Amino acid sequence: MEKARRKHYNFYDDDFKATAVSLTEMPGVQANHVAEALDIHEVMLYRWRMEMRRGQIKVKKKNIQIDPEVKSELKRLRKLEREHNLLKEEHTLLKKAIQHSLQQKGKFSSSST
């Protein structure tokens, strides 16, 4: 039995494709999440990214204005995320150092008795 072929295909204009690709280029955004949110297949999104690099997708430049408060809040959020990640790394290193120190202390105290 042959598999039925799809009779209806979605066609997306270049603006939609460019917007989808630009979403994948945002820091911290994964392409598979963008594809899922837009209800498109990941492979399609990756193909559009390749077509954008090759210049096959033509888009008109849009002058997008971002609210200055939103922009500053996003910058603040990125800074806080970087600081948070640094603190998590430092915390992990400190825990390892303390654990190592306790192990060394245990080795010396057990041999002295």
Side-chain angles (χ1 to χ4, degrees):
M1 182 171 172
E2 265 188 57
K3 192 174 183 180
R5 294 194 80 137
R6 192 177 202 184
K7 298 207 190 282
H8 173 70
Y9 293 95
N10 293 325
F11 291 96
Y12 301 99
D13 64 4
D14 284 352
D15 284 337
F16 180 85
K17 293 176 184 179
T19 302
V21 169
S22 66
L23 288 172
T24 66
E25 294 168 349
M26 293 176 66
V29 176
Q30 295 181 351
N32 59 341
H33 294 156
V34 173
E36 185 179 326
L38 296 176
D39 197 28
I40 58 176
H41 198 279
E42 277 182 63
V43 173
M44 185 180 291
L45 185 55
Y46 288 115
R47 189 182 75 219
W48 293 347
R49 290 174 71 174
M50 181 182 62
E51 290 172 356
M52 283 290 290
R53 284 191 302 272
R54 292 180 179 170
Q56 295 170 321
I57 296 177
K58 306 290 183 211
V59 249
K60 299 172 211 122
K61 291 285 183 186
K62 294 180 183 177
N63 189 10
I64 299 172
Q65 296 295 323
I66 298 175
D67 182 12
E69 287 181 28
V70 172
K71 190 174 182 177
S72 67
E73 187 65 21
L74 286 171
K75 282 183 182 180
R76 189 179 76 80
L77 179 61
R78 278 192 218 117
K79 181 182 176 196
L80 287 172
E81 286 175 341
R82 281 192 303 271
E83 290 172 354
H84 177 70
N85 288 333
L86 180 62
L87 286 172
K88 284 187 344 186
E89 287 178 32
E90 289 174 352
H91 182 258
T92 302
L93 288 172
L94 283 171
K95 281 174 40 178
K96 288 179 181 178
I98 291 169
Q99 186 178 21
H100 179 73
S101 175
L102 290 174
Q103 287 174 348
Q104 292 300 318
K105 195 177 197 180
K107 286 180 185 177
F108 291 122
S109 63
S110 63
S111 62
S112 61
T113 26

